[in-house]
Amino acid sequence: MPIDQCEAIVLRTYHFADQDKIAVLFSREKGLLRGVAKGARKFGNRFGSSLEPLSVVRVFYYEKERRDLITISNCDLLESFFEIQKDLRTTFTLSYFAELIEEVSPSRAGDEVLYRLLLSVLRCLGAGGNLPFLTAYFEAWFLRAAGLLPELGRCKGCRKPVAGPAWLAPKGDGAYCGACAPSKKEEIPPEAAAFLEWARKNPPSESCPMPFAAGSLAGIRKVLQTLIVYHLEKEPKTLRHLKDNT
Ligand SMILES: [Zn+2]
């Protein structure tokens, strides 16, 4: 059977059969792959720490036709983000990123934007980056890459740029100014549009750029999370853990 290979980020693993693991991989070229790592739970197995969550690996595998699972024959560790996961908040955040990617990525279709987003945010976190800022950056770009990020700087009703508080449209497809809003359920903080614009134009950075201070990030993230929950039609369970534990 021919062996194939690709670069991938390990999203998560779970136990399978007596001594195996299944790894959910997000690959640069092929999107989501699910693979059996035979013997990965045996002591001193050949996979070592390459299957730790969020490891960047080169995976060697083969697949049988019409089988959903690939068989992983080997995995070379390229970059590890094991150290930063000693912090519980970071661990919960990274599982949240992994769940979002698993939710929206169809199998066997690469998504270069999403792959580069996850990798660059991981590298910034690995270098000691600001967690709330990088989480907001990830959420904004995740929505954008999935085509789910509406225009928040202009009112859906009167088409004027929104000055002052805006309100999220009930279907999550835009914003209303105070005068046009049909319901005033979720307020969009005034900094949200500027933050999204900044994120669109700039790669992630380790420190939070001015003027997006911690206080304004919380409000921006609340809106981004409402959009994520609305479009996924459920609250990601890792998001619930994140809120309960941080
Ligand atoms: Zn309006």
Side-chain angles (χ1 to χ4, degrees):
M1 227 169 304
I3 291 246
D4 222 330
Q5 56 166 294
C6 64
E7 183 189 311
I9 299 171
V10 179
L11 295 183
R12 65 185 174 102
T13 61
Y14 51 93
H15 289 184
F16 182 67
D18 276 349
Q19 299 188 311
D20 309 339
K21 276 184 186 175
I22 292 201
V24 181
L25 305 163
F26 181 47
S27 71
R28 190 186 274 271
E29 299 102 1
K30 296 184 174 173
L32 276 192
L33 295 170
R34 271 168 231 277
V36 185
K38 291 219 162 96
R41 280 156 60 208
K42 281 191 206 163
F43 182 74
N45 69 80
R46 67 182 183 284
F47 296 103
S49 60
S50 64
L51 293 176
E52 292 296 335
L54 286 312
S55 292
V56 183
V57 294
R58 176 150 296 280
V59 55
F60 298 85
Y61 65 95
Y62 53 90
E63 51 189 321
K64 291 183 183 139
E65 255 179 79
R66 283 185 285 175
R67 286 278 298 271
D68 288 341
L69 285 176
I70 58 169
T71 301
I72 301 172
S73 62
N74 252 308
C75 224
D76 287 347
L77 184 64
L78 302 178
E79 251 179 288
S80 157
F81 295 99
F82 189 60
E83 278 298 308
I84 54 171
Q85 294 178 64
K86 287 178 180 162
D87 174 61
L88 197 62
R89 223 160 43 113
T90 307
T91 305
F92 282 123
T93 305
L94 295 185
S95 347
Y96 168 54
F97 293 171
E99 183 179 354
L100 291 185
I101 287 180
E102 200 177 337
E103 281 292 331
V104 298
S105 295
S107 337
R108 312 302 162 97
D111 191 329
E112 183 71 22
V113 175
L114 212 47
Y115 189 89
R116 276 191 288 128
L117 169 66
L118 180 58
L119 189 57
S120 56
V121 167
L122 281 171
R123 284 177 177 160
C124 285
L125 287 171
N130 178 312
L131 186 63
F133 163 67
L134 287 162
T135 308
Y137 186 94
F138 182 91
E139 289 170 326
W141 262 103
F142 167 79
L143 285 163
R144 189 183 297 284
L148 303 173
L149 189 64
E151 154 92 272
L152 297 181
R154 192 172 286 276
C155 172
K156 256 171 78 73
C158 62
R159 304 302 307 154
K160 289 184 189 144
V162 184
W167 303 87
L168 192 64
K171 288 188 174 165
D173 56 352
Y176 285 104
C177 71
C180 300
S183 83
K184 293 191 173 175
K185 207 164 145 233
E186 175 121 25
E187 188 174 350
I188 304 171
E191 309 85 4
F195 176 80
L196 295 177
E197 189 57 14
W198 185 92
R200 186 174 70 80
K201 290 185 183 156
N202 294 282
S205 58
E206 285 153 34
S207 54
C208 179
M210 293 296 285
F212 309 113
S216 64
L217 278 178
I220 294 166
R221 288 197 53 209
K222 196 162 164 281
V223 172
L224 295 173
Q225 288 169 6
T226 301
L227 289 168
I228 288 169
V229 170
Y230 179 79
H231 288 293
L232 296 184
E233 296 177 343
K234 63 177 180 190
E235 179 172 57
K237 54 179 190 297
T238 49
L239 176 59
R240 214 170 316 134
H241 291 161
L242 187 62
K243 286 180 180 167
D244 290 348
N245 289 282
T246 55

